[in-house]
Amino acid sequence: FNVALSPSLAWTRVTHHTMAVSPDGSHLAYIANSQLHVRAIDQFESTVIASVRDPFEVFFSPDGKWLGFYSDGKLQKVALSGGSPVPIAPSAAPSGAHWTEDDWIVYALPTNIMRIRAGGGTAEEIVRFAHDPRTQQVAMIEGDRFEVLDITTSPSSEYVGLRFREM
């Protein structure tokens, strides 16, 4: 589906996950003008969660009451109704994140896939990518499953091999 922004807004960090739909389909969260916006799915006007600074990688909790995001060198969460962000853990910038039904946040980093309890704690590595300089790996998190795409270049650079692995 298409999402139209009001004329005063512009998408921010379009190479990252800048939009999320709540699990029940009732709300849309998105990042525009470096701010976190929330709106009912059937409304055009959004509310800015002003306490969140320069976020990206937005995602919903399974119950739709919280938004997870990355900002200021940390995974964080904030109530859909607003309020102060709650730090979950320091982290490098993820390239995808998902909040599971059993209250884990699974997120992809350049070298691995990690998980941490939504309430905070110590992050655990659940997948380590290969260290082959000819292979680039990209993690894709969708729902409660994730896949790794291996992109391998031959030594002579004559071909590229692609392989999906469900984890």
Side-chain angles (χ1 to χ4, degrees), residues 50-135:
S51 61
V52 175
R53 293 183 23 224
D54 201 21
F56 63 99
E57 297 299 334
V58 65
F59 53 97
F60 274 92
S61 63
D63 64 7
K65 295 180 181 178
W66 289 86
L67 287 166
F69 61 94
Y70 176 82
S71 179
D72 295 327
K74 302 181 280 285
L75 286 172
Q76 301 183 56
K77 63 183 180 181
V78 67
L80 186 63
S81 59
S84 296
V86 177
I88 297 170
S91 176
S95 60
H98 176 73
W99 197 325
T100 68
E101 290 284 340
D102 56 352
D103 218 28
W104 287 98
I105 294 176
V106 178
Y107 57 102
L109 297 175
T111 59
N112 52 14
I113 298 176
M114 304 290 289
R115 74 177 186 170
I116 189 165
R117 286 285 179 194
T122 302
E124 303 173 7
E125 180 181 81
I126 54 177
V127 174
R128 171 152 299 274
F129 297 149
H131 293 288
D132 182 344
R134 295 179 321 219
T135 301

